Amino acid sequence: MAKIIVVTSGKGGVGKTTTSAAIGTGLALSGFKTVVIDFDVGLRNLDLIMGCERRVVYDFVNVIKQEATLNQALIKDKRTDNLFILPASQTRDKDALTQEGVGIVLDELAETFDYIICDSPAGIEKGAQMALYFADVAIVTTNPEVSSVRDSDRILGILQSKSRRAEKADEPVQEHLLLTRYNPARVDAGEMLSVSDVEDILAIPLLGVIPESEAVLKASNSGTPVILDNASDAGQAYDDAVQRLLGKELEHRFLHAPKKGFFQRFLGGK
């Protein structure tokens, strides 16, 4: 039976789609058949991040409305075996996502996939609620800023009260914290919350810390999941997060600003 993972946040612009693409790719690279679904009806960014926007013919809503089969709508990733994308519609309204329709699609995917990654829109609108409702695991993505963390706390409340698992009194959704755009130098300067600050507020296990990195923007612009850039700190951090998701115990990296060498200190280098 497939495990359904929602990548969610309360605030937009924190890196959910980048995270969905990276986590999905990492799971596929680890040998698991994985599909990433874009729940952001009306906007649709996942196909851009994954570099398959020109190959979109049918979408998630077409499948829900039985205008196309899953086989017709799923896009196989060119770079990574075992990885598929189910894009969102740019032309439909978010009301096109119904609980019954989404459930039928997820059940069909669960017959052949190991992991189903749901790339949720920000906030608590209908697309986000649909993505959250069916989750077995939640990766709560947040920046180290007060407003972003506060909004993520609200998402945790919804997961604990409005998910399918909560309704059925099953085991609760497994919650993980992913901290993105982390800059240790700005933390040291008091301009950003620290990892421990965020952990204290949200009180959920830390899956990973993704450092602020130009590699993320570069990867997004080239339509390549940043986890494939294993020379970058962000790519390595996402790979670490995937391994922790799979049960490996790894020490967290990129939490501290690199120490200046003697000549940097002497010359006043940053």
Side-chain angles (χ1 to χ4, degrees), residues 233-262:
D233 49 5
Q236 294 170 31
Y238 271 117
D239 185 61
D240 286 356
V242 169
Q243 298 311 311
R244 291 189 194 98
L245 195 61
L246 293 173
K248 294 187 179 179
E249 292 187 10
L250 297 176
E251 186 175 347
H252 288 280
R253 299 189 279 172
F254 314 113
L255 303 187
H256 307 288
K259 294 181 179 179
K260 295 178 183 177
F262 171 77

Side-chain angles (χ1 to χ4, degrees), residues 31-76:
F32 297 98
K33 191 173 182 183
T34 304
V35 59
V36 189
I37 307 175
D38 191 346
F39 274 77
D40 204 350
V41 174
L43 290 178
R44 199 173 86 189
N45 288 315
L46 178 65
D47 54 306
L48 293 171
I49 299 291
M50 301 292 289
C52 64
E53 68 276 11
R54 294 180 184 177
R55 297 166 60 201
V56 176
V57 178
Y58 295 110
D59 56 54
F60 192 14
V61 173
N62 290 139
V63 179
I64 288 174
K65 291 187 170 294
Q66 299 183 334
E67 298 164 349
T69 66
L70 260 178
N71 191 55
Q72 289 176 296
L74 286 171
I75 300 172
K76 189 178 187 304

Side-chain angles (χ1 to χ4, degrees), residues 28-29 36 72 77-78 90 110 134 160 171 212 217:
L29 288 170
V36 189
Q72 289 176 296
D77 189 77
K78 289 182 176 180
Q90 282 185 308
F134 292 96
Q160 292 160 9
E171 288 290 318
E212 197 169 44
L217 180 59

Side-chain angles (χ1 to χ4, degrees), residues 9-12 14 123-124 140-158 177 179 193 197-203:
S9 75
K11 188 180 179 186
V14 300
I124 56 173
V140 180
T141 309
T142 185
N143 293 157
E145 302 166 358
V146 171
S147 61
S148 181
V149 175
R150 180 194 62 201
D151 290 348
S152 292
D153 206 18
R154 188 178 184 191
I155 293 297
L156 290 174
I158 293 171
L177 168 63
L179 195 54
L193 296 176
D197 289 335
V198 179
E199 286 182 302
D200 287 345
I201 296 168
L202 297 181

